[in-house]
Amino acid sequence: MRLQSYDGRMRMTINGVQLHYREHGPADGLPVLLIHGFPLCGDLWRDCLASVREDVRAIMPDLRGFGSSQASPVVEPGVAPPLSIAQFADDLFLLLEHLGESQPVVVVGHSMGGYVALEFHRRFASRVRAMALVDTRAQPDAPQKIAERHATAARVLAAGSEVVANAMAEKLFGPDEPRELRERWRVIMAAQAPESVAAALYAMAGRGGYLDVLPTMFCPSLIIVGEHDAITPVADAELMQRSILTAKLRVIPAAGHMTPVEQPQAFADALNEFLEAHATAATAHRP
Ligand code: MLT
């Protein structure tokens, strides 16, 4: 029995804000939490869902401030509300609790969502059954990158999210992606609230990195990266693989930074193979 069609959106008040999320798959399926990147939303996973194993209960939140989820309350108009990657992780922990998933789940994080996934592991390791890190990195920002993020946040607050949307639309995709796909995602990025985009830029700048988390990860782990990823390149994925005892690496041909969107079938195949080997619904420990 299908729990929800993809379009069945739901909402829940978590840590004082209303979070939207979507679900796909059977209610008693293998719980897989899919965390989108910056400045995107849960729609990131839409194209690959049809190919993901049928025994998966996919839980796809819009992170606080993104998609249809409420932002942290604005303290001062035109100023980014305080936000951290840890706040995102705490929100997701509570979301899972409210959804009745108090057993370990498979966590899949794309780019900034990978930072959230690694922070989730740092805080709630016993709740991670397996981890897939997609087009992401574990290193902290260099000082120059931090300064750039702060400057971009100021520009976004002054001129809107198009500042980031236009710049990122060029970098997100591999060289052969059709213009319509870039435009579709440029529009989605431009529609995100400037205060949330700025807040997430500050949050990423302040995250401090996850190199210390990698050697503590003993759960089955998969690293997926697009061969043309220009934002978190293959070398970043290789570094994570070297530092996580259990990690396997899959480089997806003909993809850039948006692997689940650019190569949904290849992405789903890699995830399915990983789940088959390490975490099927039949082996999930359920209450
Ligand atoms: C993302 O795609 O989530 C971001 O580009 C990651 C980053 O800027 O570090």
Side-chain angles (χ1 to χ4, degrees):
M1 183 196 71
R2 280 335 236 179
L3 170 73
Q4 278 287 336
S5 70
Y6 174 76
D7 288 325
R9 280 189 187 193
M10 289 160 280
R11 70 186 71 181
M12 197 176 275
T13 300
I14 300 282
N15 285 330
V17 302
Q18 228 179 51
L19 286 193
H20 280 246
Y21 61 97
R22 293 184 177 87
E23 286 195 61
H24 182 92
D28 59 352
L30 174 73
V32 178
L33 175 69
L34 294 131
I35 314 171
H36 65 79
F38 167 88
L40 309 172
C41 61
D43 278 351
L44 180 78
W45 311 106
R46 180 195 290 260
D47 298 344
C48 67
L49 275 183
S51 307
V52 167
R53 294 169 56 96
E54 288 215 337
D55 66 347
V56 163
R57 179 190 193 185
I59 300 166
M60 297 158 287
D62 289 342
L63 291 174
R64 137 185 326 240
F66 290 91
S68 302
S69 285
Q70 246 181 354
S72 313
V74 172
V75 182
E76 203 185 324
V79 174
L83 184 62
S84 63
I85 299 295
Q87 176 72 70
F88 286 140
D90 286 347
D91 288 348
L92 297 184
F93 176 83
L94 276 189
L95 177 67
L96 291 171
E97 291 276 296
H98 282 65
L99 290 174
E101 293 294 357
S102 50
Q103 298 299 315
V105 302
V106 179
V107 180
V108 181
H110 171 258
S111 199
M112 182 181 78
Y115 310 156
V116 179
L118 288 163
E119 183 65 44
F120 189 94
H121 189 284
R122 195 202 307 272
R123 302 166 95 73
F124 314 113
S126 66
R127 302 295 284 273
V128 181
R129 177 181 174 78
M131 173 90 89
L133 296 165
V134 184
D135 297 305
T136 190
R137 65 156 62 89
Q139 308 98 298
D141 286 352
Q144 188 190 339
K145 180 74 182 175
I146 292 175
E148 272 170 33
R149 289 207 204 264
H150 289 178
T152 306
R155 287 212 307 283
V156 166
L157 287 171
S161 299
E162 295 238 327
V163 168
V164 160
N166 294 343
M168 284 196 72
E170 292 310 311
K171 285 194 285 183
L172 283 178
F173 296 94
D176 299 326
E177 282 311 320
R179 281 236 67 83
E180 310 85 70
L181 196 64
R182 280 176 208 276
E183 182 54 18
R184 178 177 142 208
W185 283 95
R186 195 194 65 75
V187 169
I188 290 173
M189 293 188 287
Q192 308 303 321
E195 287 81 5
S196 299
V197 172
L201 282 163
Y202 285 119
M204 286 193 286
R207 75 189 186 280
Y210 303 99
L211 292 171
D212 61 316
V213 174
L214 305 182
T216 72
M217 289 172 60
F218 300 108
C219 60
S221 305
L222 173 68
I223 296 163
I224 297 178
V225 63
E227 69 165 332
H228 300 300
D229 188 336
I231 297 180
T232 50
V234 173
D236 291 344
E238 289 171 343
L239 187 149
M240 291 192 288
Q241 189 201 10
R242 285 198 298 277
S243 311
I244 303 172
L245 195 66
T246 58
K248 297 269 183 293
L249 173 64
R250 289 290 294 267
V251 180
I252 306 293
H257 188 64
M258 293 284 272
T259 302
V261 167
E262 292 174 86
Q263 295 297 336
Q265 185 66 52
F267 172 79
D269 288 348
L271 188 62
N272 288 341
E273 200 180 294
F274 173 65
L275 297 178
E276 174 67 32
H278 299 293
T280 61
T283 61
H285 170 62
R286 307 195 62 83

